[in-house]
Amino acid sequence: MSPSSELRNNGVVKNVGEAPQEELATGERSTRNRIARSVLDHGPSTAADLAKRLGLTQAAVRRHLDSLVAENVVEPREQRVYGARTRGRPAKVFALTDCGRDAFDQSYDKLAADALHWISQAAGGGEKGEAAVTAFARARFAAQAGAYREAVGAAAPEERTEALARALSDDGYAATARSAPVGEQLCQHHCPVAHVAEQYPQLCEAETEFFSELLGTHVQRLATIAHGDGVCTTFIPRSGTAQTTHSASASTAGRNPA
């Protein structure tokens, strides 16, 4: 499912009541929707980041963020720092809450979770049940593989991660690729199955295996929305630094490494 281009008011209103008429008349709600959408597309963001992206003043952004926090659409967090921490207090970033994510698309989480539970129990539960869910997750990605293989295969080796990010974005994952020490990071700022993946990490594991197969290299999942992070982050090493086995790829997929 692709996220809608605008935050549905009913996804927020169900928690906070109807938006005042003066908000609708002055465009306040529209601006807040733009801010929430920017956080969805780019991940946890500072007020300064949002102001620059949207052409607003930081004071205006902070005012709207205060309202979005009150509506339980976004929440403030301490910015995560990878590598050596610099001096000074970490910047405050704002990330979507579960309520905020749900407002962007129709949720079929319970149906999906019930279906996976049925698959697990029909296979006998326990290890057999987990194996059945894993088989389903792998088959799901195999069924979607064609467009992804075409996109990645048509790209130059150094542009394959970016090509994968674009293909994922076309399917609603709001993905980006960025440089990282000794490699790249593939970031998915939205996950339509995040709530189900909390219960069934096999979905994350199968996705990580799929990325490894597509890119022809070992990859490592660093963070997942399903486990409370603001972004699903996958590390792809540069050619020559990758391990050749795929088993390590799945070992941490869906489970944040320490």
Side-chain angles (χ1 to χ4, degrees):
M1 292 177 288
S2 298
S4 63
S5 60
E6 182 176 336
L7 180 67
R8 296 204 321 273
N9 286 341
N10 63 327
V12 177
V13 167
K14 64 184 179 182
N15 288 295
V16 297
E18 293 293 338
Q21 288 300 313
E22 60 270 20
E23 282 193 7
L24 301 177
T26 59
E28 295 284 282
R29 174 61 57 187
S30 176
T31 301
R32 288 176 198 168
N33 289 348
R34 289 173 61 210
I35 289 173
R37 177 72 202 194
S38 185
V39 174
L40 173 71
D41 287 342
H42 297 275
S45 306
T46 65
D49 292 334
L50 290 163
K52 183 176 180 180
R53 263 183 236 136
L54 301 174
L56 301 171
T57 66
Q58 290 192 42
V61 168
R62 289 192 182 95
R63 177 168 59 83
H64 289 300
L65 284 171
D66 287 342
S67 296
L68 290 169
V69 169
E71 293 172 351
N72 193 32
V73 176
V74 302
E75 61 183 359
R77 296 180 179 178
E78 183 177 295
Q79 188 171 33
R80 294 186 65 172
V81 178
Y82 297 94
R85 184 182 291 274
T86 58
R87 289 187 177 183
R89 188 173 184 177
K92 181 187 293 185
V93 297
F94 293 85
L96 286 180
T97 63
D98 286 344
C99 171
R101 290 185 187 283
D102 288 346
F104 279 97
D105 58 1
Q106 182 71 32
S107 176
Y108 292 94
D109 293 336
K110 187 176 187 304
L111 175 62
D114 287 347
L116 290 178
H117 178 73
W118 186 90
I119 290 172
S120 176
Q121 294 305 305
E127 292 185 0
K128 290 183 178 179
E130 291 184 6
V133 173
T134 296
F136 165 81
R138 288 171 174 164
R140 174 174 174 265
F141 282 105
Q144 300 171 342
Y148 289 98
R149 291 192 200 285
E150 183 177 347
V152 173
E158 67 275 12
E159 296 176 352
R160 285 175 181 167
T161 303
E162 178 63 38
L164 177 56
R166 288 195 298 269
L168 287 165
S169 292
D170 288 342
D171 277 349
Y173 288 86
T176 58
R178 64 188 183 193
S179 296
V182 302
E184 295 176 286
Q185 284 186 353
L186 176 67
C187 300
Q188 296 158 260
H189 303 284
H190 178 63
C191 177
V193 298
H195 296 316
V196 182
E198 290 180 21
Q199 302 176 55
Y200 296 97
Q202 294 97 322
L203 296 175
C204 296
E205 293 167 2
E207 181 181 69
T208 307
E209 291 177 0
F210 182 55
F211 291 166
S212 179
E213 179 188 348
L214 277 176
L215 298 171
T217 184
H218 161 80
V219 303
Q220 184 180 15
R221 183 59 58 89
L222 301 178
T224 61
I225 293 171
H227 286 74
D229 296 295
V231 179
C232 293
T233 306
T234 305
F235 173 71
I236 299 101
R238 289 196 188 100
S239 178
T241 63
Q243 297 179 18
T244 58
T245 63
H246 292 278
S247 58
S249 301
S251 65
T252 55
R255 302 179 177 89
N256 296 340

